[in-house]
């Protein structure tokens, strides 16, 4: 399973509060990704990282920030959560030259 | 934002039927095309990574073909079984970076 964990797995929060989701990997992969999954949209890329302190925006990055201070951890922060950010969030890594992606178990976030 | 389309959106077949779905993607700046199987309440699971025009890949009863010149890939399932019921996602990986652009998936239900 490529050693990917996400925490928390479920969270309910209120509009306007900050939220941080954590993705942790144990196999020293360079590339890490955050996606959100919404009905009718499939998976959409929020941000990705190509190394420690190296990150870039995806197609739906507004309202989200990320940090990667260690190879194994990629954090996704919602500075001020909104109801439109209610979603399931998946972390992924890319393994090897083939670019095959492996996904974490997901975090279900509800913003009331 | 790159457009990746999958059809049909959903499909119901009888056990034992063979079926196929389509993924359409931009034919320029191609690097790789990925197929995933996604069961409800689980994470997407990689099936194939396809990189060369004319590629054909097979895993058990599932196979895939790739046409990069015209921008499409087909996924075939031979002799569908109830355990094949899942959403099948494709993702386009352009050569301009390490981003993945997902289609919205084909939901397959195999009726016993």
């Amino acid at each position: 399973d490529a050693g990917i964990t996400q925490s928390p797995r479920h969270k309910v929060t209120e509009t306007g509060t900050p939220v941080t989701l954590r993705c942790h990997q144990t196999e020293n992969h360079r590339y890490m990704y955050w996606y959100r999954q919404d009905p009718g949209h499939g998976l959409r890329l929020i941000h990705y990282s190509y190394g420690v302190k190296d990150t870039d925006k995806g197609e739906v990055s507004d309202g989200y920030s990320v940090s990667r201070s260690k190879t194994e951890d990629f954090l996704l922060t919602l500075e001020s959560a909104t109801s439109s950010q209610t979603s399931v969030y998946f972390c992924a890594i890319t393994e090897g030259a083939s670019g095959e992606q492996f996904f974490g178990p997901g975090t279900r976030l509800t913003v009331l | 934002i790159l457009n990746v389309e999958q059809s049909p959106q959903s499909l119901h077949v009888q056990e034992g039927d063979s079926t196929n779905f389509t993924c359409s993607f931009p034919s320029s700046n191609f690097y790789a095309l990925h197929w995933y199987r996604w069961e409800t309440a689980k994470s997407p699971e990689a099936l194939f990574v396809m990189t060369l025009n004319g590629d054909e890949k097979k895993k058990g009863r599932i196979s895939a073909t790739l046409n990069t010149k015209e921008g499409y890939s087909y996924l075939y399932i031979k002799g569908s079984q109830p355990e094949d019921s899942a959403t099948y996602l494709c993702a386009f990986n352009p050569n301009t970076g390490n981003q993945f652009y997902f289609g919205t998936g084909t939901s397959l239900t195999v009726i016993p």
Side-chain angles (χ1 to χ4, degrees):
Chain A
D1 64 356
I4 308 167
T5 57
Q6 293 184 229
S7 59
R9 294 292 313 280
H10 302 271
K11 185 167 182 70
V12 179
T13 192
E14 293 189 349
T15 298
T17 58
V19 177
T20 295
L21 308 183
R22 179 182 183 234
C23 177
H24 179 77
Q25 55 128 338
T26 59
E27 298 184 9
N28 211 35
H29 297 292
R30 181 181 171 197
Y31 285 87
M32 298 183 76
Y33 302 79
W34 277 108
Y35 293 93
R36 59 178 290 174
Q37 180 224 342
D38 303 292
H41 290 279
L43 287 168
R44 292 182 292 173
L45 181 65
I46 305 171
H47 283 278
Y48 70 101
S49 170
Y50 47 97
V52 173
K53 295 192 166 99
D54 291 323
T55 65
D56 206 350
K57 295 179 181 180
E59 60 181 306
V60 290
S61 59
D62 286 349
Y64 301 95
S65 63
V66 289
S67 66
R68 192 165 178 204
S69 58
K70 299 185 286 185
T71 299
E72 58 265 36
D73 288 325
F74 191 31
L75 304 181
L76 177 71
T77 297
L78 292 66
E79 300 290 348
S80 177
T82 67
S83 58
S84 65
Q85 292 175 312
T86 292
S87 187
V88 180
Y89 291 85
F90 285 95
C91 174
I93 60 93
T94 300
E95 184 172 273
S98 68
E100 194 170 10
Q101 279 205 318
F102 291 88
F103 288 83
T107 293
R108 182 173 294 276
L109 176 68
T110 302
V111 183
L112 301 175
Chain B
I1 296 174
L2 301 178
N3 199 31
V4 178
E5 295 185 351
Q6 291 188 246
S7 61
Q9 190 172 0
S10 66
L11 197 54
H12 289 72
V13 302
Q14 291 292 135
E15 181 175 353
D17 287 351
S18 294
T19 187
N20 65 84
F21 344 119
T22 305
C23 174
S24 302
F25 51 87
S27 56
S28 58
N29 298 321
F30 177 86
Y31 180 74
L33 190 284
H34 302 249
W35 281 101
Y36 296 86
R37 182 171 180 274
W38 196 358
E39 291 182 69
T40 303
K42 294 188 178 180
S43 305
E45 173 191 342
L47 284 173
F48 304 115
V49 180
M50 309 181 80
T51 56
L52 297 174
N53 185 44
D55 246 358
E56 290 190 30
K57 300 247 176 164
K58 188 174 180 182
K59 187 181 288 189
R61 293 179 292 98
I62 305 177
S63 60
T65 61
L66 178 69
N67 182 324
T68 61
K69 294 187 190 303
E70 296 181 43
Y72 65 84
S73 175
Y74 294 137
L75 188 80
Y76 300 91
I77 302 179
K78 187 176 175 182
S80 303
Q81 300 296 308
E83 57 265 31
D84 295 328
S85 297
T87 295
Y88 292 83
L89 288 175
C90 68
F92 172 66
N93 188 200
N95 62 9
T96 52
N98 215 61
Q99 297 199 30
F100 291 72
Y101 296 88
F102 282 82
T104 54
T106 293
S107 173
L108 173 68
T109 303
V110 181
I111 303 160

